[in-house]
């Protein structure tokens, strides 16, 4: 009976230790798990993570505050 009690206490200690590590290191573990999920996902494209272009207005002649769709056409 003492062996069973020792085994139950040991298993409970391991489980409580695992829970403590999960709670203490949660942000780090979540980032790592997300990275693993991305690397194992066949549909993931790393190029989708690129930021928007630094120059959203490619036409150097137009003013940045005026869009090209609002030209000198009269409104109807």
């Amino acid at each position: 009976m003492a062996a069973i009690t020792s085994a139950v206490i040991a298993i409970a200690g391991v489980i409580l230790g695992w829970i403590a590590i999960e709670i203490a290191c949660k942000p780090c573990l979540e980032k790592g798990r997300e990275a693993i999920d991305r690397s194992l996902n066949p549909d993931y494209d790393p190029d989708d993570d690129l930021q928007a272009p630094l120059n959203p207005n490619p036409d150097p002649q137009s003013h940045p505050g005026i869009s090209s769709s609002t030209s000198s056409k009269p409104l109807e």
Side-chain angles (χ1 to χ4, degrees):
M1 187 69 173
I4 294 174
T5 305
S6 296
V8 169
I9 291 172
I11 291 172
V14 169
I15 291 172
L16 289 174
W18 182 265
I19 291 171
I21 291 172
E22 287 282 333
I23 291 171
C25 302
K26 186 173 182 166
C28 180
L29 291 173
E30 284 180 353
K31 288 180 185 178
R33 289 176 181 148
E34 287 174 4
I36 290 171
D37 289 343
R38 277 194 313 258
S39 69
L40 295 176
N41 183 0
D43 296 328
Y44 173 69
D45 186 10
D47 293 333
D48 290 342
D49 290 343
L50 296 177
Q51 296 178 357
L54 295 177
N55 184 7
N57 187 9
D59 185 12
Q61 300 299 328
S62 68
H63 188 272
I66 302 173
S67 67
S68 60
S69 63
T70 58
S71 60
S72 60
K73 291 191 261 182
L75 297 174
E76 296 178 15

